[in-house]
Amino acid sequence: MPQKSYAVLVLLILATAVSACAHLGGGGDATAELRVENNLIPPTTLSVYALPDTGTRQLVGIVRPGATTDLSFSPRAAASYQFVAETTEGRDIVSPPINIRAGDTAEWDLDANIVLPQ
């Protein structure tokens, strides 16, 4: 009997923990999406960063050569961002600024260096 009670208690604790995590993380769409079109010549892998108007840059993801990749990040409320694509050769491509907030989607064409809201 004590083992059965212990198992039920463990299951209740796990269920409560999972529910709390889902509640904390599921309070709406707290991320913004960035679609990156890596159409650079010569082809290169990119590390993409989000750079707020004040603060430090945050790694958003990696984009393979010739690929279009959807990345997500958690923007601060009503902030202006630039995106930085760092090539494997050490070259940085910096986007023009764009205002972006949670729930927004933007597309970055690297060859033209244009970021457009979607």
Side-chain angles (χ1 to χ4, degrees):
M1 198 70 146
Q3 286 180 337
K4 189 174 184 181
S5 297
Y6 179 74
V8 170
L9 179 61
V10 168
L11 287 174
L12 285 172
I13 290 171
L14 287 173
T16 303
V18 169
S19 174
C21 287
H23 177 70
L24 290 174
D29 192 6
T31 62
E33 302 295 321
L34 177 66
R35 173 169 282 181
V36 180
E37 184 180 349
N38 186 354
N39 51 3
L40 295 177
I41 304 291
T44 184
T45 298
L46 302 169
S47 297
V48 178
Y49 298 86
L51 178 63
D53 51 0
T54 58
T56 58
R57 70 185 192 172
Q58 135 192 17
L59 179 64
V60 177
I62 305 296
V63 181
R64 303 280 175 231
T68 298
T69 305
D70 293 330
L71 305 171
S72 62
F73 70 102
S74 299
R76 296 182 314 194
S80 177
Y81 277 83
Q82 287 181 285
F83 298 100
V84 179
E86 185 179 274
T87 69
T88 54
E89 295 81 29
R91 180 176 144 218
D92 285 351
I93 301 163
V94 182
S95 77
I98 184 172
N99 289 325
I100 196 164
R101 61 181 181 205
D104 288 349
T105 299
E107 186 166 343
W108 186 14
D109 177 328
L110 285 162
D111 185 50
N113 199 14
I114 298 172
V115 180
L116 297 172
Q118 298 297 300

